[in-house]
Amino acid sequence: MPKQKQLLKANNKKKGKAAQTELETADDFLAAGVEYEEAGEKWRAGDPVKSARFFVRAIETYSIGLQRFPQSFDLAYNKAHIQYELAQQPRLLQQLPTSFIDLLRLALDSHRFALNLGQENADLIFNTAQVLTSTAEALSEGGPVATNVKEEALTLFQEALGLFQRCLDLQEFQFTQANDQDRMTDEASTQGMEGSTLATSEASATSEDERWASIVEPVTRNTLLDTVIAQIETLTAFCNLMSSQGDSWLSWVEEFSHSLLEEKIPAYEASDRRSEISLVSANFASALADARFRSGRLDLFTYEREIADVFGRISDITELPQGLCDRADAILVFVASVYASVDLAELQAEDISRLNEIRWRHSTQALADLTAASKLPQVQNLPRIHLRRGDCELLRHRLGEAPFLYEVARKNSATLLKNAEVYYRGAAGIANAEGSVNEEQEARVKEALTAKLRGTDGKPAEILENNDSKLLFLIEEMREEGLLSDVENAIEIAWNPGSDPNLKSQAFDFLNQLRSEPQGWQVCLSLATRDPRASEVVRHVALEVVNNAIQSGQLDTQGLLFVRDNLLAYLRMVFGGTGENTKEDTITIQNKVTQTITYLFKALYTVQWTTFFDDILALTTSHNPSVLDNASGIKIYLKVTISVHEEIADVLLPKSPDEQQRDNDLKDLVRQRDAKKITQSWQRILIQWKRRDGVILEQCLAAIGRWASWTDLSLIIDDTVLTLLFELVTPSQGPNEDPVLRDAALNTFIEILAKKMKADDKLELIEILRIKDIVSQLIASPSLHELRSTSNYDTDLAELVAKLVNNTVLDIINVLEGNNDLNDTSARASSQLKAFLPYVLRFFSDEYDEICSSVIPCLSDLLTYFRKKGRPDQEYTSMLAPILQAIVAKMKYDETSSWGNEDAQTDEAEFQELRKRLQVLQQAVAAVDEPLYIQTISSIVGTTLERVQNERGQVDWREVDLAMHEMFLFGELAVKNGGLYSKTKPVSPAADRLIGMMYKLVESDVASFSHPAIQLQYMEICVRYSTFFEVNPQLITRVLENFVSFVHHTHVKVKTRSWYLFHRFVRHLRQQLGNIAQTVIQALADLLPIKAELNEVSSDNDDMSSDENDQSAAATFNSQLYLYEAIGCICSTYAVPVENQVILVQSVLNPLFSDLEAHLGPARDGDERAALQVHHLIMALGTLARGFSDWSPATTSPSTTPPAEVVSGEFARTAEAILVALESMNNSFEIRTAARFAFSRLIGVLGNRILPQLPRWIDGLLSRTSTKDEMALFLRLLDQVVYGFKTEIFDILNTLLTPFLQRVFSGITEQTSGTDDEIQLAELKRAYLGFLLVILNNDLGTVLVSTTNQPAFETVISTVEHFAKDITDFPTAKLAFSVLTKMVVTWGGPDLPLQSSSPPSGTVTQSQPTLPGFDRFMMERFSPLCWALPSNTAFNPKDAQGKQVLGEAAGLQKAIYAKTGQVYLTWLREVELRGMGMNDTSTNEYLQALCNSDARRFKQFFQALVQRSNR
């Protein structure tokens, strides 16, 4: 407390209000002020309002007196004293309009003024130092402290310590002087006054009637001790402020405190103040220990021991409430420091466990101290003690949450929260009784927060809503103290790659929970806007939580306004231009804050925040509102305007109709309220920041471009804006040219042009913006003209200008399409189209594909417009020729391209994609003017092939490639009717031209052109137009010779591709080839040997290669198989005699057999390469068989016949060889796969020869290790066999069916593991049901009920019944009902003659089932299945697939009724439907529908019935 200056009044004549009006001297003012002070003291306890009023009058009186007598020390002293005294009285402070910190600053100013008048007054120096300390403490308390505030507090502490030292020096001098004087006085005389010295005041009274005097108390040891203790307390507060600022200041504090603790206190210590001294020393020692621990100069256990030691020296601490409270505070600081000193993301679980134990133990001890203090009779500030008790319980509760998960805290979580709530409630009640408003408000808010944690609604929520002003402050303070969940730490852990996975998972769970908590956004808002700032990732996530709360509707209007006020305050602090040392946010945080502001705009702009744009625009000025001079504020303002557009006007964002309507309403409001103001601000920014800041101009242009689409252009486009835009895009070669701003201006033009408007207005806009002039100037600029063929060509600029041209032409075409009449608008549009077409072709012909692609949309629309007009006018027809020529020219490889280079694969793929787009344009030209297209392309192809024939190698390969590519594409027109010929005559003029090109292709010998691309094109063309060779077989031999040459090509891509194309060519022309098989086989002999290679794992993990560019060993082998198929085709032609076919087949098969025999042994022994060789050989054998015969057992076409018996015998040897390999290695998945492939191909060459081998095939292909997928594939393969051979397979199938089905059943009943396994199981089920259907559909149903297979029949029925009831797999259930229906049709006997009338009665026609008793069986077993799915509670009858299953179930009932008639109706009425609980009315309706409705109508009835019953 400050030291009161005591004044003695010699005479008291003047009293009362009358005397107060006659204040003439300094003493008069002093007397009046003292009277007011005395009155204030009188009413302090009973009436704080009246007391505060008297104190304020005293201050006013002193102030007025000082205006007249500025040198009056007493007036100055009293004024300063009373101001500081008021700041120390919370009840009085509440009655004043001034805040606590502002009153402290006023008191400090008054003390400094008084100190100038009395610099040697020890009491005043002491009081000034105390005011400095109190102000510094007020600035630094309450959570994290901003850097500038911390610096101010630090300065105040240092000044206070200096004044205390000055005071102590002065007091020590006075103490020594007084002792000397007392000794001298005792020696000289006994006169004097003991205990005091009367000194006349410097401001002496002006009359003898009334004199004032100051009582100067002597300096005693207690006085000196007070000053030393005050110094130590200031040092303690100083340590608390600086504890996280490194250790450079620690040495100074230790040195400064040493003389106080080791010299001064022992010298002045009094026995009656020993406890006080010990407590002050303990508080300082604990604060210093905390600072040393945080700076790394003290380990945890030493820190812990020092706290115990310093407070342990206070022998009577258990009787001192303040001592217990101070020890509890020191312990809680210890707990917080231990927590803050570690990075949880770097700790292991056992380290966290030890940390939890330490924090729990000490928090419990602090709680015990506070509890003991609260029970002592002399306790003071009881509300604060109870608040701290609640804090302790919250701290202990926090230990049970992630990421700590301390078991004791988790088990007692509810109790701890309840205790904390009770303590806070008690603190609030006592504070209310004592009139301690701050403590009461804090306690109420903390009580409400704790109730929220407990899940209590009602009053706590109201308290939180009514305390928004204090809520964020308290939340941040509680978070800093570890009382609430540490969001910041959780975010750091979640986004730290090195965090423990378990901790990371807990952190993510906690953050996900935080997003849904009602008050989570408040914690995050505080975290995002606090100073000092958190890390970028923490702030980003925190803002995301706030954004989520806004978007999801968690915030009511009051909450939204609270967020708005805090964010506006933050924006003003960071971007308002007032904080000199305020650092701007990173771009990422700026964008996130902008997003938050935008969401608030959507939520509040309509009613609650109509000044939105005014508030954001205010950031752009520093002082003068007419001058937008704050760069950081302008940037955030422009960001916000752009963000608002993207949120409410971006047409690319998908929105619901309601969302779109809300956005439209917002746009209308913005246009009505603020559009003019916003556009004017842009114009001012452009003018004031021209040539000052390119970033600002770029942002401003972007904002103008965005808003142009939905804002009145007359507000945006004026002479100022247009002049600047023209200046920015006009080419210049001076130093002022800025490519970034030029591009931004071009983008602005593009955005403005995109605005939708009437045709006339659009044309006028194009003219006003002078687009043609801008484009022509830019095209003629050095960047796009002189440098076009150099490496300095500005491709970015070219692409932008191309985009501008494209959008302009699109707008012109839209005008033309909307004006079919030849009016002035149409004429203006046509004129502009002609003017822009050269620009379109200029960029379309650009060598850079990106630039070319920019104008393809407008070309496409232009050609579409021409096509819609039918035969275009002459003025438009003249445009087609240059367009087509440009398209064809663009099809050509450019001069820098290199075909086949692996490094250029991406460029090649992009060019081929461009060619596809160009092909569409060519087709559009052909659709408009077919003769022009035919003439142009045929001329290019003919001329190029003529040059190839005459110049022999002198023609650039790119030109030849272009001609052949155009020839390949020409077929889109020439063969669009299915072929080139109709009865050997060309089907169209285009076909006639193509036939001429084909003759020229062969005659020119272009195949001898050395470039690989040309050779590939040659083969592709020959294969595509193979019908040409059917009419011109005399040319086949020449082409085949070229193919045989290509299959030996040195270029891998050409060689492997030619193997496939050669196969395609000979397959198409099999009947025209003639007897050339032996020659071809001899020519290909060196390519047939198979050499399996194990694929090596690629080191570069290149995923960019396509199948066409795949040059792996596996890809090469797959291409090699085409050669075997081609040989099969050639050998099987009619021109080759049968005996020669046998010889040729043997010449190919025998080497394969030998190779297979040689590798089979090593493969069985585990040689991987040998096993792969066996796989390849089996695949080659199967492929050869596929090429040899197109016949299949079920084929009835006369054009295909089975191979001769002797040839079939050779392939029987093939089947035997494969079976031997399969039986030896049926545990190999790859061998089974190859064998299954070969089996399906051998059916066509073996016919019924394969049937005796079928058991061996089944044994080999369905091994114990076969997957469900293999079983399903083999079942589908057997479907082909059964379908092809039908009754021929009965005996074999009858023998094999039961063991085969048992293998299938075992596969179906296996447990699944994972999604892939479940998919394979579903496929196996459907394949099994499909196999049953194939058997039944091909008159083989008796095999299922034969004596041999009778034991398995029940299992078959059971599985089908089970599948029919499977609600999780509707496709399988539908197929199961199909099987059941087919069984009814197959075995139910003939249909009975039924009447289409009411359910008949009387005579009953007996059914005659094929299987005895099957009529009863299908009623009892099959019919109830129709109700199995609908009766399942999980069944959704509206599901599309579910309805299909119901349709199949209805079909089954109709089938049963057709076979059993009245018997079935009786069964339904008396047994089935009655058992289901159906009433008589519904039963009659159901039976009526079954009798009288056809299958389709009954299906609809049944589906509707099920839907009604499920409502």
Side-chain angles (χ1 to χ4, degrees), residues 1077-1123:
Q1078 186 170 0
T1079 304
V1080 172
I1081 292 175
Q1082 290 175 352
L1084 301 180
D1086 59 320
L1087 299 176
L1088 296 180
I1090 293 173
K1091 296 180 180 179
E1093 297 180 19
L1094 296 173
N1095 281 330
E1096 296 181 1
V1097 179
S1098 176
S1099 59
D1100 56 358
N1101 293 324
D1102 186 8
D1103 294 330
M1104 298 296 292
S1105 62
S1106 63
D1107 292 340
E1108 186 177 346
N1109 296 317
D1110 192 353
Q1111 298 178 8
S1112 64
T1116 302
F1117 168 70
N1118 290 333
S1119 298
Q1120 190 179 17
L1121 290 177
Y1122 290 118
L1123 292 177

Side-chain angles (χ1 to χ4, degrees), residues 66 279 420 517 903 1105 1157 1380 1394 1417 1484:
L66 283 171
L279 187 56
E517 288 183 355
D903 296 335
S1105 62
E1157 184 179 4
L1380 293 172
L1394 302 172
F1417 182 84
N1484 289 333

Side-chain angles (χ1 to χ4, degrees), residues 302-313 327 362 365:
T302 305
Y303 180 17
E304 182 182 24
R305 188 170 57 252
E306 283 202 10
I307 292 178
D309 290 345
V310 294
F311 284 100
R313 298 190 190 111
R327 184 167 68 178
H362 285 280
Q365 181 184 346

Side-chain angles (χ1 to χ4, degrees), residues 319-359:
E319 303 300 325
L320 299 175
Q322 190 61 47
L324 292 170
C325 291
D326 288 349
R327 184 167 68 178
D329 287 341
I331 291 172
L332 292 177
V333 169
F334 166 80
V335 171
S337 295
V338 170
Y339 172 59
S341 66
V342 297
D343 184 357
L344 288 178
E346 304 295 332
L347 295 183
Q348 299 300 319
E350 56 270 19
D351 298 325
I352 296 177
S353 178
R354 285 195 294 269
L355 184 67
N356 288 340
E357 195 279 328
I358 291 173
R359 296 180 68 197

Side-chain angles (χ1 to χ4, degrees), residues 610-621:
T610 57
T611 61
F612 174 84
F613 290 103
D614 293 313
D615 293 337
I616 306 301
L617 182 59
L619 300 172
T620 62
T621 64

